[in-house]
DNA sequence: GCCAACGTTGGC
DNA sequence: GCCAACGTTGGC
């Protein structure tokens, strides 16, 4: 199973908002970037991803799961844009700040560090395991 | 709130 | 098909 990372501004749609959706989950709509969209097309049901708070917070706060594979984005009348549906799985016991990721030599290759503008991105298994450990959360 | 980095758009 | 102009993202 592949691992991913999703960014969202907590002021717009944060971890708590996803948790509040419960089993209904939520469409990860609004992505208007081809790279990010292509990653969503690669996602399989059951894949897991980190939920990262961008702009404010700047930390990984939870783990979500892909509930439905990529489908047209219902918020725009343009067939180019697709999105997956996600659902909250569990929060991080201890959120992992961007700062801690940037200063960890084993995580400096992460897209989160190298390309801060990509809002949906893949995460390597080794990175996943390490970050879970840093957050005192089971992978 | 600023602004650097990046992606997209559109005139030529 | 180049590239200037513009819009957006996100760390600071």
């Amino acid at each position: 199973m592949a691992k991913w990372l999703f960014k969202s501004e907590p002021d717009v749609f944060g971890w708590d908002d996803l948790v509040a959706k419960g089993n209904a989950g939520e469409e990860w709509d609004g992505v208007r970037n081809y790279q990010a969209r292509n990653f969503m097309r690669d996602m399989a049901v059951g894949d897991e991803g980190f939920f990262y708070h961008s702009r404010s917070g700047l930390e990984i706060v939870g783990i979500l799961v892909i509930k439905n594979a990529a489908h047209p984005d219902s918020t725009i009348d343009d067939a180019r844009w697709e999105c997956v549906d996600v659902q909250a799985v569990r929060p991080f016991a201890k959120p992992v700040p961007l700062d801690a990721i940037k200063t960890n030599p084993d995580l400096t290759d992460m897209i989160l560090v190298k390309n801060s503008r990509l809002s949906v991105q893949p995460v390597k298994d080794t990175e996943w395991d390490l970050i879970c450990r840093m957050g005192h959360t089971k992978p």
Side-chain angles (χ1 to χ4, degrees):
Chain A
M1 288 272 123
K3 307 294 188 191
W4 310 95
L5 183 145
F6 294 77
K7 287 185 195 174
S8 185
E9 297 183 36
D11 294 344
V12 178
F13 186 84
W15 172 254
D16 291 342
D17 296 308
L18 184 60
V19 170
K21 300 282 179 181
N23 291 334
E26 176 72 355
E27 192 177 80
W28 199 266
D29 53 39
V31 172
R32 303 289 180 264
N33 172 286
Y34 292 107
Q35 247 190 307
R37 181 209 60 189
N38 291 343
F39 285 132
M40 289 200 286
R41 282 180 173 174
D42 288 341
M43 293 176 187
V45 173
D47 280 359
E48 290 184 326
F50 290 139
F51 193 113
Y52 173 79
H53 279 167
S54 63
R55 288 262 311 164
S56 63
L58 305 190
E59 56 189 10
I60 292 172
V61 289
I63 291 174
L64 51 71
V65 64
I66 308 304
K67 244 196 136 183
N68 289 298
H71 57 80
D73 185 331
S74 70
T75 64
I76 190 172
D77 184 21
D78 185 334
R80 289 180 299 167
W81 303 121
E82 301 177 15
C83 57
V84 295
D85 297 338
V86 300
Q87 185 183 317
V89 176
R90 58 183 171 276
F92 265 72
K94 184 171 173 286
V96 179
L98 176 64
D99 199 47
I101 292 167
K102 282 166 71 174
T103 54
N104 188 311
D106 293 327
L107 297 174
T108 46
D109 283 341
M110 281 191 77
I111 298 170
L112 188 68
V113 177
K114 297 178 96 169
N115 179 4
S116 64
R117 307 195 19 140
L118 188 62
S119 64
V120 177
Q121 54 189 262
V123 173
K124 296 195 193 85
D125 286 344
T126 49
E127 296 165 345
W128 182 272
D129 292 344
L130 177 54
I131 288 170
C132 286
R133 220 174 307 135
M134 291 164 74
H136 301 176
T137 297
K138 73 178 166 75

